Amino acid sequence: MLSTIALYTLVPLAAALLSGGIAAVRAPGPRLTSGLQHFAAGVVFAATAIELIPAVLERSPWVAVAGFAAGIAVMFTFRHVGARIERGRAARGALGVPVGLIVATGIDFLVDGVILGAGFSTEAQVGVLLTVALAVEYLFVGLSLSASIAGTLPTFVVALLPAVLAVLTIGGALGGAVLLGGASPALLAGVLAFGAVAFMYLATEELLVEAHESGETSVGSVGFFVGFLVYLVLSELIS
């Protein structure tokens, strides 16, 4: 099981590496970036609605409520801390490397890994579909991260940083699988509910916010629904 999970984690790792390479060579323009971020947000929302939430409700709804509440508290605490770091750097005139964004992305990737491990512990199909969602997520989150540090750090750092952070996903996935391999349905429900919040936070507070800042277009907005539809079709084909 662990070797299988490790193999699947290489997919989002490769996506993160690809994103850094693209940004290092030539980052996409604002409108294309907006459309791609909408698409990624649609995939992430679909993974939450189709895989995580049903798996949670089938096991222990009340534990899921607690896990969801914990996820809200943790994710918005991270947001608050990251915002304070960036404000402090701005006040000191240190407007170069976005340390807060890098730290938040690393934490997000680690949490994603734990959720992936929990997904495989729940059902192999859930793990496979979450892998697809993470690959799309890492491609566009990594692209945004690399684009934000381009010009402030060496090119090789711009290219490799998303992949380096994605290594945290491998550790999180293997750790999650070990710790949750024999977990009760209630505990799995709580972890998956926490993961649902992490996924939705990423889509609403990062991908869609950045997409709207890049430039809102009707074509870009359609990308959200196309992403949701693509994941839905993949879910039906794999099942």
Side-chain angles (χ1 to χ4, degrees), residues 11-39:
V11 178
L13 177 63
L17 184 61
L18 176 62
S19 71
I22 293 173
V25 174
R26 183 178 180 182
R31 289 191 175 184
L32 178 57
T33 299
S34 176
L36 295 177
Q37 287 168 335
H38 274 95
F39 179 86

Side-chain angles (χ1 to χ4, degrees), residues 59-216:
R59 285 165 174 77
S60 182
W62 287 112
V63 173
V65 170
F68 204 92
I72 294 172
V74 170
M75 297 310 296
F76 281 90
T77 297
F78 286 155
R79 176 186 178 181
H80 177 70
V81 171
R84 287 192 63 180
I85 292 174
E86 292 304 320
R87 285 197 298 269
R89 287 174 55 81
R92 297 191 303 271
L95 297 175
V97 181
V99 177
L101 177 61
I102 294 173
V103 172
T105 302
I107 293 172
D108 177 68
F109 282 8
L110 178 63
V111 171
D112 286 345
V114 175
I115 301 310
L116 184 60
F120 274 106
S121 297
T122 303
E123 186 179 346
Q125 179 184 321
V126 174
V128 171
L129 289 169
L130 287 177
T131 300
V132 174
L134 289 183
V136 176
E137 171 192 333
Y138 284 25
L139 179 60
F140 300 113
V141 171
L143 186 59
S144 298
L145 176 63
S146 291
S148 70
I149 63 174
T152 62
L153 291 174
T155 302
F156 77 92
V157 176
V158 174
L160 295 178
L161 182 59
V164 170
L165 294 178
V167 172
L168 294 171
T169 304
I170 300 176
L174 296 177
V178 170
L179 296 175
L180 300 171
S184 65
L187 179 57
L188 282 174
V191 173
L192 291 175
F194 184 97
V197 175
F199 270 46
M200 287 190 289
Y201 177 89
L202 171 73
T204 58
E205 297 298 315
E206 294 185 28
L207 290 172
L208 290 179
V209 169
E210 290 188 12
H212 291 168
E213 290 177 351
S214 298
E216 181 65 21

Side-chain angles (χ1 to χ4, degrees), residues 14 20 36 42 44 53 61 87 111 142 146 166 168 185 198 209 222 224 227 233 235 237:
L36 295 177
V44 172
I53 297 300
R87 285 197 298 269
V111 171
S146 291
L168 294 171
V209 169
V222 169
F224 175 89
V233 171
S235 175
L237 290 176

